[in-house]
Amino acid sequence: MKHAFKKLAAVTIGSLMATAVAAADYPAKPIQVIIPFGAGGNSDTSGRILLNGMQKVLGADLVPVNVPGAGGTIGMAQFAGAEADGYTLAFSPSAPTTLQPNLRPLPYGKDSMVAVCLLTDNPTAVTVSPDSPYSSMEELVEAAKAETLIVAGPAPGSVPHITQAALANAIGTTFTYLPVGGGAEEAKALLGKQADLAADNSAMGTVHGLKTLAVASAERIDELPDVPTLTELGIDVQVSIFNGLYAPANTPVEILETLSDACGQAVEDPEVKSRLQDANFIVRYLGHEDFQAFYEEQFDASLEMLTKIGLVK
Amino acid sequence: MDMSSFLAALSLLADPLTIAIMIAATFVGMVVGALPGLGTVTALAIALPLTFVLTAPQAIGVLLAIYVSSVFGGSIPALLINVPGTPQSAATTFDGYPMTRKGHAAEAIGWATISSVIGGIFSMIVLSIFAPRLAAFAVRFGPVETFALIAFSLTTIAWVSRGSTLTGLLAGCIGVFLSMIGADAMSGVDRYTFGNFALSGGLNVVPLLIGLFALSEVFSTAAKRQDQDLNAADVRSGFKVAPFREWWKLRATLLRSSVIGTFLGILPGVGATAASLISYAQARASSPRKDTFGEGEPEGLVASETANNAVTGGALVPSLALGIPGDAATAVMLGALVIHGITPGIQLFNRNPDLVSFIFVALLFANLIMLVVGAMSAHVFSRILKVPNALVMAMIVPLSLAGSYVIRFSMIDVATAIIAGISGLILRYAGVPLAPIVIGFILGAPLETSLRQGLIITNMQPLNFFTYPIADVFFAITLGVLLWPLVKMIRPKAVAGDADSQSKTTSTELEGNEK
C-alpha cells in the first residue's frame, strides 16, 4: 500500500513541480520507470529486480509503472514524450527499442532516447516439445523443407517473430506463424501440439521443460553447454533479447552517469545477481557509453536483418 | 496430498510471522482491490519486491492472501456505491447495489463474503486433488476448443438481456466491436484508431466498466433530480449472514457458480470477469425468481461472487502443474516463485510435495482470513452509507476518473470512461442493457484471436473445427441453447406454460456437460 501511495505521490509531484532541479541534487524525488509490458512478464520481473537494487544504491525510490499495449510501443511513446530530467526512465526489452521503430511509424525512434545501462542479454533459441519428433536441429530443418511447420510466438514485430522469419530465410523455407502470446502461451501451444516449434528466449526450455535444439548466439552459452549454435550448424542467425534502462534524449550527462553507476553497483550486488540468474536471465552489464554504442549497433543490425528478410522495404 | 506433506505444510504455516504478514496482506489486498483502477495484478505487483526479503513459503502466503482478498475487495465498492473495484466484480453490482439501496448493506456484504469464501475453498479443493490431471486437459484445450467455449459463453448474452433479446444482441455486438479497437493481435495492424496513436493499445476494460456502470449511474441519478438518501434508520451497516436455510436454498447456484469459476479459471484466456458474468447469467436463466434479478436478488450476488473467487484456485492449476499461468494475476505469482528459485511444473509435485501442500493449506487459510477480515471491516466500509447520497455521487466522479487514469497514466482511459458514461446514460434511456456490452467486449478479443489461430492451425479450413471432439461438445451445446426458444415456440402452448421447469432442465444439462 505504501508503494501505491508513493506511486500516486510520484506522479502528482512529478507533474506539479518545476523540473529545474539541479543535476547535483539528483535524485531529489522518486523516479518513475516505465515498463512497457504488463506485470509478471520477463521485462517486468528483471526490471523490478534491478530497480530494487538501484533503490538501495541511490537512496531514492524508483517506482515501476507498467504501461502495456501494442507490443510495448504505448509505454515507450509515453516515456519518450517525458521531460529529460532523469525522473522518467524506461526499462525495456529490445523489441520496442530496436525492432518496432524500424517496422512502422511511431511517435518515437532511435534518437528519442539514450541508453543508460544494459542488464541482461539472452540469445533466442529454437525449442520444441519434449516429445517432439525432432530431436536435433538437422531433423527439424529437414522437416521444415518438406512441410510447412507452425511456429508459436508473441505478436508480430516481437523478437521471436523476427527470429523465426530470419531462420526461415536462412534455411530457405517458410513457417506458418501462430501468434499466441509470450513464454507460457508458447509453451502451452508446443505441449498441446498446436505448434511445432518456438524461437523465443533461451531460458524458455529450462523454465517450461522444453527441448532446446539450437541457440541463436555467436558462441554456445554457459547455461546450455550441450546445445549447438545455429551458426555452428551453418545457419547464419544471431538474435538476442536484451533488457536495459533508457532515459529520454537530452538527459544531462551527469544524471546518466549517476544512473549508470548505480546500475553497475546494483548488478554487483550478489542478491540482485542471483535473483536474475534464478529467473533464468543471463546478466550482462554495460554502462552508459558502451550500452549506447551497443544499442546503435543493434538498431542498425535489426534494420539490416528486417530488410534482408523482406519485412522492411 | 499425503499426510506427512500435509503436516509439514501445517508446520510451515504455524509460524507467527507468516500468519501475521498474511493477515496484513489480506487487508492490503482488500483495500487495493476496493480502489477502482488498482486491481489484483497491481496489488500483487506492488507486493512482489517486498517478498524478496521473505522466505519462499512466506512469500507464497503473502501473494496468495493478496490474490484472494483483492478479488473479494473489488466487490465492496461494487456493493456499496455501484463502482466495481476490479473488473471481476462487475456482475456483483447488478444485484448487490440494489440490495444496499434497499437498506440491506449488511446482508449484501454477508452474502458476498461467504460466497467468496465458498468459491475460493471449492476451487482450492479441486486444485489440491486434481491439479496434475486437469493441467493435462488444459494443455489440450487449443485455439479451436477455446473458440467453441467462447462461442458458447456469448450465448449467455441472451440470458442477461432484460426485455428484448434483439437489443441484447445489439449491445453484445457493440461490445465485440469495441474490443477490436487497437493493434490487431495477429498482424499488428492498427484498427479503428483514426490515426490516434494512444488508441493502438486498445480500450481498457476498467474505464469502460467504470463509465458504463458507475458514471452513467451518477448521471442518471443527477438527471432524475431526486434526493435518494437512505433513511439513517434503514441503514443496517456491518456484517450480517443469512440463516443457513437461505443458503441451503441456493446450494445449486453455489455449486454451479463454483464449477463455472474453477473451470474457466483452469482454461487460459477467459478469466474471472467473464466467469462472474457468465455465472450470473446462468443463475438468472435457471432461477425460479428470475424476475427479481437486478433488483437485489441474493442469488445473483451469490452467483457472481462465488464464481470470481472460484477462479483463483482454478487459475493456479495450470500455473503450478505446468508453469503456465491461467491469468495475469497468476503470471505475477509465477514470477515471484521463479525469483525464489522454485520452478513450477509437474516436477514441482514430485520434488517438493511439502511446498505444494503448503500452497494448498495457505490458500485455504487465506480464504479463512478473508472471512474474518471481511466481517470485521464491514462496519468501517459501510460507514460510507451514512454520507448523503449526493455527496457519494459527487465523490464517485473523481474516484472513477482517477481510477481510470492510474491504469497506465494515460488520458485516453479517462476519455474512455467519460464517453462510456455518457453513452451508458443514453443507452439506459434507450432501454439497451449494459451487461451484454461488457460480455461482448471481454469475450470479443479471445473470440477473434482463437478463431484466427484456429484457422491457422487448420490451414484455413473452418470445417476442420468439427474434427476436435471437445470443441464439438461446446458447439452442440451452443446450438442447443440457440435453438431452444424456437423449439419452445413450435411446441403446443400447454407445455410451454411450464417454462420454469424447462429452463431448469436446460441448465442441468449444461452443468452436466461442463463437468
Side-chain angles (χ1 to χ4, degrees):
Chain A
M1 201 57 231
K2 206 173 144 204
H3 273 67
F5 284 131
K6 277 181 188 165
K7 200 166 171 179
L8 287 172
V11 176
T12 329
I13 295 167
S15 56
L16 292 179
M17 271 179 56
T19 44
V21 183
D25 300 335
Y26 182 83
K29 60 181 185 185
I31 303 166
Q32 237 198 92
V33 184
I34 291 176
I35 297 174
F37 288 92
N42 268 330
S43 49
D44 180 67
T45 311
S46 53
R48 283 173 194 265
I49 297 172
L50 172 71
L51 300 186
N52 216 41
M54 283 178 69
Q55 208 150 281
K56 283 191 223 158
V57 180
L58 286 170
D61 283 317
L62 279 91
V63 189
V65 180
N66 297 96
V67 185
T73 55
I74 300 278
M76 290 309 280
Q78 207 179 86
F79 147 80
E83 294 260 7
D85 57 1
Y87 292 103
T88 308
L89 308 173
F91 184 83
S92 172
S94 32
T97 55
T98 62
L99 294 176
Q100 297 279 10
N102 281 320
L103 285 170
R104 56 197 182 109
L106 291 173
Y108 70 91
K110 184 171 72 166
D111 301 330
S112 321
M113 57 189 110
V114 280
V116 175
C117 67
L118 177 68
L119 180 69
T120 68
D121 188 5
N122 286 48
T124 54
V126 178
T127 45
V128 294
S129 163
D131 53 1
S132 158
Y134 318 116
S135 53
S136 70
M137 194 63 206
E138 288 88 345
E139 286 176 31
L140 184 100
V141 171
E142 207 172 299
K145 284 178 177 165
E147 54 174 323
T148 309
L149 298 182
I150 298 176
V151 189
S158 59
V159 179
H161 174 233
I162 303 308
T163 308
Q164 62 88 29
L167 181 64
N169 182 275
I171 59 181
T173 183
T174 47
F175 295 125
T176 299
Y177 192 66
L178 178 66
V180 288
E185 281 81 13
E186 286 167 57
K188 182 175 168 282
L190 292 182
L191 296 171
K193 309 234 182 304
Q194 289 112 27
D196 300 301
L197 68 147
D200 206 334
N201 198 313
S202 63
M204 228 184 83
T206 327
V207 176
H208 296 292
L210 304 169
K211 203 156 63 178
T212 307
L213 299 183
V215 288
S217 52
E219 275 152 38
R220 291 192 181 201
I221 55 172
D222 296 344
E223 287 72 12
L224 300 163
D226 302 328
V227 177
T229 64
L230 286 171
T231 316
E232 262 176 66
L233 303 168
I235 303 165
D236 181 27
V237 176
Q238 289 178 21
V239 188
S240 79
I241 300 180
F242 57 89
N243 286 302
L245 191 64
Y246 299 83
N250 303 322
T251 303
V253 159
E254 300 80 28
I255 290 179
L256 292 178
E257 274 160 10
T258 307
L259 287 168
S260 167
D261 291 348
C263 177
Q265 285 180 50
V267 174
E268 287 308 308
D269 183 341
E271 206 185 302
V272 170
K273 203 165 200 165
S274 70
R275 286 199 191 290
L276 287 169
Q277 282 163 350
D278 284 344
N280 296 291
F281 288 105
I282 300 176
V283 180
R284 180 180 174 198
Y285 170 76
L286 287 180
H288 157 55
E289 277 170 16
D290 294 339
F291 183 33
Q292 181 66 34
F294 176 78
Y295 169 58
E296 284 175 19
E297 179 195 306
Q298 289 289 322
F299 188 94
D300 297 340
S302 298
L303 179 60
E304 195 181 314
M305 183 173 66
L306 291 169
T307 316
K308 189 174 135 198
I309 59 182
L311 287 170
V312 173
K313 273 149 205 129
Chain B
M1 180 158 59
D2 62 60
M3 211 53 206
S4 70
S5 72
F6 178 69
L7 290 176
L10 275 186
S11 69
L12 279 173
L13 186 68
D15 168 28
L17 179 64
T18 309
I19 292 177
I21 53 178
M22 276 182 77
I23 293 173
T26 304
F27 193 75
V28 171
M30 266 173 63
V31 173
V32 176
L35 292 170
L38 303 177
T40 304
V41 178
T42 319
L44 287 167
I46 292 167
L48 188 61
L50 304 178
T51 65
F52 291 173
V53 297
L54 303 174
T55 64
Q58 287 167 347
I60 294 168
V62 164
L63 294 170
L64 287 174
I66 290 184
Y67 184 27
V68 298
S69 64
S70 61
V71 175
F72 166 67
S75 66
I76 296 167
L79 295 173
L80 298 179
I81 57 173
N82 205 25
V83 180
T86 61
Q88 295 104 301
S89 311
T92 306
T93 59
F94 301 164
D95 278 291
Y97 184 64
M99 206 187 281
T100 300
R101 296 306 298 170
K102 286 180 178 166
H104 302 305
E107 285 84 350
I109 296 182
W111 286 112
T113 315
I114 306 283
S115 332
S116 296
V117 172
I118 292 176
I121 291 179
F122 178 92
S123 68
M124 171 263 154
I125 294 170
V126 172
L127 168 72
S128 62
I129 301 176
F130 301 112
R133 259 172 286 170
L134 284 173
F137 172 73
V139 163
R140 281 212 308 275
F141 220 84
V144 177
E145 288 85 355
T146 307
F147 173 72
L149 170 70
I150 289 173
F152 162 66
S153 304
L154 276 172
T155 60
T156 55
I157 285 180
W159 296 327
V160 286
S161 312
R162 319 196 72 191
S164 159
T165 309
L166 206 61
T167 47
L169 284 176
L170 172 74
C173 289
I174 296 176
V176 173
F177 169 72
L178 291 175
S179 76
M180 291 182 181
I181 295 175
D184 172 0
M186 309 296 285
S187 68
V189 174
D190 283 350
R191 298 187 300 196
Y192 306 113
T193 60
F194 300 101
N196 182 335
F197 178 72
L199 273 177
S200 62
L203 296 182
N204 190 295
V205 65
V206 176
L208 192 71
L209 276 174
I210 289 178
L212 279 181
F213 294 127
L215 284 180
S216 80
E217 170 81 17
V218 173
F219 297 157
S220 103
T221 310
K224 282 183 207 145
R225 292 169 174 275
Q226 279 169 347
D227 195 46
Q228 291 189 325
D229 279 348
L230 292 174
N231 194 329
D234 284 346
V235 179
R236 271 168 290 154
S237 65
F239 185 79
K240 197 165 160 219
V241 179
F244 181 74
R245 59 171 192 283
E246 296 283 314
W247 284 96
W248 188 243
K249 275 191 219 154
L250 300 183
R251 61 190 183 279
T253 302
L254 283 166
L255 181 65
R256 184 179 45 236
S257 303
S258 297
V259 171
I260 293 176
T262 311
F263 182 74
L264 293 181
I266 294 169
L267 303 173
V270 189
T273 311
S276 62
L277 285 163
I278 291 168
S279 161
Y280 180 88
Q282 277 272 8
R284 181 160 183 261
S286 61
S287 172
R289 295 176 295 279
K290 49 168 85 59
D291 295 337
T292 58
F293 269 66
E295 291 162 12
E297 169 58 46
E299 194 171 352
L301 175 55
V302 164
S304 162
E305 279 301 301
T306 311
N308 65 18
N309 269 77
V311 168
T312 55
L316 283 168
V317 167
S319 313
L320 290 179
L322 297 168
I324 295 171
D327 59 11
T330 41
V332 180
M333 281 206 279
L334 276 186
L337 287 180
V338 170
I339 291 174
H340 279 276
I342 301 161
T343 307
I346 213 71
Q347 288 301 320
L348 180 68
F349 287 74
N350 302 329
R351 274 188 218 139
N352 213 336
D354 292 1
L355 191 76
V356 174
S357 299
F358 173 77
I359 293 174
F360 302 150
V361 174
L363 190 58
L364 176 66
F365 186 62
N367 274 293
L368 296 176
I369 310 177
M370 182 172 85
L371 174 63
V372 177
V373 175
M376 284 185 346
S377 50
H379 275 282
V380 182
F381 287 122
S382 47
R383 288 235 176 109
I384 186 137
L385 299 175
K386 302 245 161 67
V387 177
N389 200 37
L391 283 180
V392 175
M393 289 285 163
M395 198 177 72
I396 291 174
V397 177
L399 191 68
S400 303
L401 298 184
S404 303
Y405 182 69
V406 296
I407 299 160
R408 47 187 177 181
F409 304 93
S410 164
M411 285 311 286
I412 195 82
D413 292 324
V414 179
T416 306
I418 295 171
I419 294 170
I422 296 168
S423 315
L425 180 68
I426 297 169
L427 293 172
R428 273 169 199 251
Y429 279 117
V432 178
L434 300 176
I437 301 183
V438 177
I439 298 182
F441 181 77
I442 291 170
L443 296 178
L447 178 80
E448 187 199 344
T449 319
S450 60
L451 171 63
R452 291 172 65 183
Q453 288 172 347
L455 285 172
I456 291 177
I457 63 169
T458 56
N459 230 343
M460 298 295 158
Q461 298 296 321
L463 285 179
N464 285 355
F465 277 30
F466 298 109
T467 59
Y468 293 78
I470 304 175
D472 285 340
V473 173
F474 286 102
F475 285 133
I477 305 173
T478 312
L479 199 67
V481 171
L482 291 177
L483 292 182
W484 187 244
L486 287 178
V487 175
K488 268 206 297 197
M489 257 182 355
I490 296 163
R491 273 193 184 180
K493 281 224 152 83
V495 189
D498 196 16
D500 269 355
S501 64
Q502 277 177 2
S503 58
K504 253 183 204 156
T505 340
T506 331
S507 71
T508 26
E509 277 163 18
L510 297 179
E511 230 181 288
N513 280 316
E514 265 175 4
K515 276 168 203 159

